[in-house]
Amino acid sequence: MPALLEGKTALILGIANKWSLAYAIAGAFRREGARLVLTYQGARQKETVEELGRELDAALVRPCDVSLDEELERLAAELQGAGMRLDAVVHSIAFAQREDLTRPFAETSRQGFLLAQDISVYSLVAVARMAAPLMTEGGSITTLSYLGANRVIPNYNVMGVAKAALEAAVRYLASDLGPRGIRVNAISAGPVKTASARAVKDFSTILDFVAQRAPLRRNTDPAEVGDTAVFLASDLGRGVTANVIYVDAGFQAMGL
Ligand code: 1JT
């Protein structure tokens, strides 16, 4: 099979370390011949992501805090200045305060709610607005979601509401950008032991529960998320937009 992303440039936001879903996606994109532009948040992530960028032979590794419009504008200006067209964007970013993932959802503060919406949802809108002018040949924008958007998952709380908004944002962005040949989709991944997940208490119990009940009787492998992201970014995905694709070993289908 020929490389699926040969000649394409992909911007990937949200690698924190080698367990990040964004890192699995970057690896799959690189395997398929894409040129990679990676971003990280803040000085704490710099060393790690620059090292992973070297491993992946990334063309560019840059800081980008998606809560700041200026940082997104600076990144867009730099890519523009380097004459870089973008063909794919992967948004793999979310945040919520720890207390909002432990206390009852009804206790969520206004500030905690808005913070989760800002970082986990509005950032997709801001990234799409920044990237769209660089996608002069059309392109694909993919974000990461979770089943907590549609069902009550204990403790997912404010993130569930944020993921519901994120999936709605995918549909509205797909409608806006479709006429320019830009597709917008989400991958709803099954739970994976990432750094974010480590912040969740009893996460191993959740993983075991899912593995016992999912049709495939196992958890989601990050590489499966990477391969689905390749499909969406490639010409194979040309007819798919405004969609949420489950890469979760089938768990979402189960009632009991
Ligand atoms: C965040 C965190 C976003 C954890 C996340 C997330 N998206 C998925 N997970 C993992 C997860 C978390 C819970 C869960 C299942 C999966 C933590 C930091 C903020 C952003 O419950 C079954 C709670």
Side-chain angles (χ1 to χ4, degrees):
M1 198 160 54
L4 290 167
L5 302 179
E6 202 66 57
K8 293 190 192 286
T9 302
L11 169 65
I12 301 184
L13 304 102
I15 300 182
N17 52 51
K18 64 181 174 193
W19 295 284
S20 300
L21 289 174
Y23 178 63
I25 293 170
F29 275 31
R30 189 68 200 126
R31 183 193 73 217
E32 298 299 335
R35 176 165 68 158
L36 303 179
V37 178
L38 312 179
T39 73
Y40 59 87
Q41 190 231 4
R44 263 184 49 226
Q45 237 79 281
K46 183 175 161 66
E47 291 290 303
T48 314
V49 179
E50 281 181 345
E51 175 58 31
L52 295 175
R54 280 190 289 276
E55 260 173 48
L56 290 166
D57 192 31
L60 218 54
V61 179
R62 286 289 179 267
C64 184
D65 180 338
V66 292
S67 69
L68 304 170
D69 287 329
E70 316 84 83
E71 294 219 0
L72 282 164
E73 280 158 21
R74 191 177 43 69
L75 180 66
E78 184 179 356
L79 298 178
Q80 181 82 259
M84 264 194 198
R85 183 188 80 212
L86 278 184
D87 304 292
V89 175
V90 174
H91 170 277
S92 185
I93 292 174
F95 185 75
Q97 296 175 149
R98 185 180 286 253
E99 70 227 54
D100 292 326
L101 299 176
T102 48
R103 287 189 309 214
F105 174 68
E107 309 288 321
T108 307
S109 69
R110 188 182 302 271
Q111 172 264 335
F113 185 95
L114 293 175
L115 181 66
Q117 290 282 331
D118 184 25
I119 306 301
S120 316
V121 189
Y122 184 75
S123 65
L124 178 70
V125 182
V127 165
R129 197 172 56 245
M130 171 277 266
L134 297 168
M135 297 182 130
T136 51
E137 306 277 288
S140 158
I141 300 176
T142 302
T143 187
L144 275 295
S145 192
Y146 178 59
L147 184 62
N150 317 98
R151 316 270 188 73
V152 173
I153 309 281
N155 299 322
Y156 201 64
N157 299 3
V158 75
M159 273 313 303
V161 177
K163 292 302 190 186
L166 181 73
E167 292 183 9
V170 161
R171 294 184 281 272
Y172 280 91
L173 288 170
S175 170
D176 273 1
L177 302 178
R180 294 148 74 175
I182 301 171
R183 297 178 290 104
V184 187
N185 295 286
I187 294 173
S188 186
V192 173
K193 209 161 201 163
T194 63
S196 292
R198 275 172 218 275
V200 177
K201 79 164 163 37
D202 299 331
F203 195 74
S204 298
T205 315
I206 294 166
L207 286 177
D208 292 344
F209 182 95
V210 168
Q212 280 169 31
R213 289 166 177 78
L216 296 180
R217 295 291 188 276
R218 59 173 177 79
N219 286 119
T220 299
D221 177 349
E224 298 166 345
V225 176
D227 288 349
T228 299
V230 165
F231 159 74
L232 286 171
S234 77
D235 193 54
L236 295 179
R238 65 193 177 279
V240 183
T241 193
N243 222 327
V244 179
I245 300 185
Y246 287 85
V247 180
D248 69 340
F251 181 80
Q252 49 78 215
M254 305 308 288
L256 274 181

